[in-house]
Amino acid sequence: MDETYAILILGEPVPSARPRMVKGHTYLPKRTMSAIKEITFQAKSLPPVPCGTIVEIDITFYCAEKRNKALANLEKTVLDGLHPHPLIDDNINIVRLLVARCEFVTYLPATLVILKYKQENVIKYTVKSGVNMARVITQQLGKTSINGDYNDKA
């Protein structure tokens, strides 16, 4: 099951600004929050990620402003906007992230996000500890059998 979806966010890409603190409360500036909300709104149209699926994300920023924006901050805004999407967790599901910036595009500043859902075939088990993780990986590579005895297949 390989499926590809695209989101096009029109308007100048907005880098994630540093959180502000007032009277002990932190908040993000309005411009950053409105950009995150727009991405979240468009991400709601995507189907949920099925369990056992990995996600590859390609992000391209088309910037019209001549100001140099940090690519990491632009990426953070998009990932924060995608985070409320069901089961997209940047620590678990995202295995590949490609980010590019095309500067000085005056005709259509926008952000293009392409998500590719792929059925996971490398590790099919729920792993709860580092020891289990090492065992599962070696089993998948064919170095050990289920009971932990080593086979010389390599």
Side-chain angles (χ1 to χ4, degrees), residues 70-89:
L71 204 54
N73 292 336
L74 291 167
E75 167 197 330
K76 184 174 177 357
T77 302
V78 172
L79 292 179
D80 287 348
L82 290 176
H83 191 68
H85 187 271
L87 297 177
I88 287 189
D89 184 3

Side-chain angles (χ1 to χ4, degrees), residues 14 29-40:
V14 178
K30 289 181 182 179
R31 186 170 181 227
T32 303
M33 279 306 298
S34 64
I36 290 172
K37 287 180 182 179
E38 175 65 25
I39 294 167
T40 302

